[in-house]
Amino acid sequence: MAVLTDKFSLANGTNIPQVGFGTWQIPGGQTAYDAVANALKTGYRHIDTAKAYANESSVGKAVRDSGLDRSDVFVTTKLPAETKSYQGALADFKTTLKNLDLDYVDLYLIHAPWPWNEIGKDCDAQNLEVWQAMEEIYTSGKAKAIGVSNFNVHDLQNILHHATVAPMVDQIQYYVGYTEPKITKFAQDHGMLVEAYSPLATGDMLNNPAVREMANKYHVSPAQLALRFCLENGVLPLPKATHQDHIEANAQLDFSINAADMATLNGMADTAANHFHNGTQG
């Protein structure tokens, strides 16, 4: 499973394992603890959580109990989308570190450019205030890298025009048939790593006939093909799983998709009915 030890490099030189283990919708407590513990045992070295997931304490405990050196596990977490003030951001980060019971996080993201119950609201001024706090957190060394999530081109431009430290990551919903080409290109052109949450389209990928057919050609599962597709596009996938067989299978990505098949996958139309459809995302 060399794919779990391969890394992307962020703009500040920080190395980030190129496949992450997502914990969105994994309940805090034993379920989240076991999932993260099993992922670490399987070889994952990149865990993605968020204050909004209400599982940071379980994730942090699994990391601490793993027996691995802290420096060997890349931990990402996120500032709640509803927090849109400088002081609020600093306070939430302090709570997050306490929840995780870790001295630092490897990557800290603004979860969304607007509160989840006001998707699309203009929060440009507030996001600049929050980004000041993010830069302060980064300068303190308590976050080794900083970035954003669910930011579109306008939201990214707003930050870039005023930032001292540019966002290093934009984590977005991204999967075969829904690759946000404008956001992805803008982010990558400005030195940001794009991360894909819901890379399996919350399971829809597994039943996509075209994806299934192509997966058979490569003797892999539809999930493995969908995750490899992200990597071939230079995008970091964050698959979520609670069952051990899925945790292991999602890490078996040591194959390549040829250029013609990548062109087919990149050309697939958006098959999802809606996005941002049930509250907290990614």
Side-chain angles (χ1 to χ4, degrees):
M1 296 186 193
V3 73
L4 293 181
T5 54
D6 290 342
K7 298 192 168 91
F8 288 119
S9 184
L10 299 181
N12 69 344
T14 295
N15 289 322
I16 179 170
Q18 68 175 18
V19 178
F21 184 77
T23 63
W24 175 39
Q25 296 181 320
I26 300 182
Q30 201 64 42
T31 305
Y33 177 87
D34 289 346
V36 173
N38 288 335
L40 292 170
K41 282 177 194 157
T42 300
Y44 288 83
R45 293 296 179 264
H46 175 183
I47 309 296
D48 182 277
T49 183
K51 189 168 184 284
Y53 301 168
N55 61 18
E56 283 179 324
S57 297
S58 310
V59 169
K61 183 165 169 39
V63 170
R64 296 193 315 275
D65 290 353
S66 67
L68 296 164
D69 285 345
R70 172 67 187 91
S71 60
D72 291 335
V73 183
F74 194 100
V75 177
T76 299
T77 191
K78 309 178 195 78
L79 175 75
E82 292 71 26
T83 302
K84 290 297 172 207
S85 71
Y86 172 82
Q87 289 298 342
L90 293 179
D92 274 342
F93 181 70
K94 193 173 178 182
T95 302
T96 271
L97 279 187
K98 188 176 177 184
N99 289 344
L100 290 165
D101 198 9
L102 299 173
D103 292 333
Y104 67 92
V105 297
D106 296 275
L107 176 62
Y108 195 47
L109 306 176
I110 301 175
H111 207 150
W114 18 247
W116 287 112
N117 60 357
E118 298 178 277
I119 289 173
K121 180 182 178 182
D122 180 351
C123 294
D124 285 0
Q126 296 96 315
N127 284 329
L128 293 180
E129 189 176 320
V130 169
W131 192 253
Q132 280 190 301
M134 297 291 284
E135 290 184 338
E136 186 172 313
I137 290 163
Y138 174 64
T139 304
S140 77
K142 297 286 188 182
K144 303 301 182 188
I146 50 175
V148 295
S149 181
N150 295 301
F151 274 48
N152 64 24
V153 172
H154 167 83
D155 300 317
L156 293 172
Q157 287 172 324
N158 177 48
I159 299 292
L160 287 171
H161 287 158
H162 300 88
T164 304
V165 180
M168 299 164 201
V169 166
D170 191 9
Q171 184 181 122
I172 58 174
Q173 194 170 27
Y174 182 106
Y175 50 82
V176 175
Y178 190 76
T179 56
E180 294 281 20
K182 287 180 182 172
I183 299 174
T184 298
K185 183 177 189 311
F186 183 88
Q188 291 178 337
D189 284 351
H190 288 80
M192 296 175 218
L193 175 67
V194 175
E195 293 186 344
Y197 74 78
S198 299
L200 306 179
T202 55
D204 291 351
M205 244 346 82
L206 312 184
N207 301 312
N208 182 304
V211 171
R212 290 181 74 90
E213 185 179 345
M214 193 179 290
N216 289 337
K217 171 182 171 180
Y218 286 93
H219 307 291
V220 297
S221 70
Q224 289 165 330
L225 185 84
L227 296 173
R228 186 70 218 180
F229 164 81
C230 294
L231 292 174
E232 298 277 353
N233 279 337
V235 171
L236 189 155
L238 296 161
K240 180 209 82 173
T242 51
H243 298 293
Q244 183 61 24
D245 54 343
H246 293 156
I247 290 172
E248 290 178 10
N250 288 345
Q252 293 167 0
L253 307 177
D254 293 324
F255 64 97
S256 296
I257 303 171
N258 69 42
D261 288 339
M262 279 301 294
T264 299
L265 292 170
N266 276 313
M268 281 188 184
D270 183 1
T271 53
N274 62 29
H275 308 282
F276 300 129
H277 53 279
N278 57 3
T280 301
Q281 300 280 326

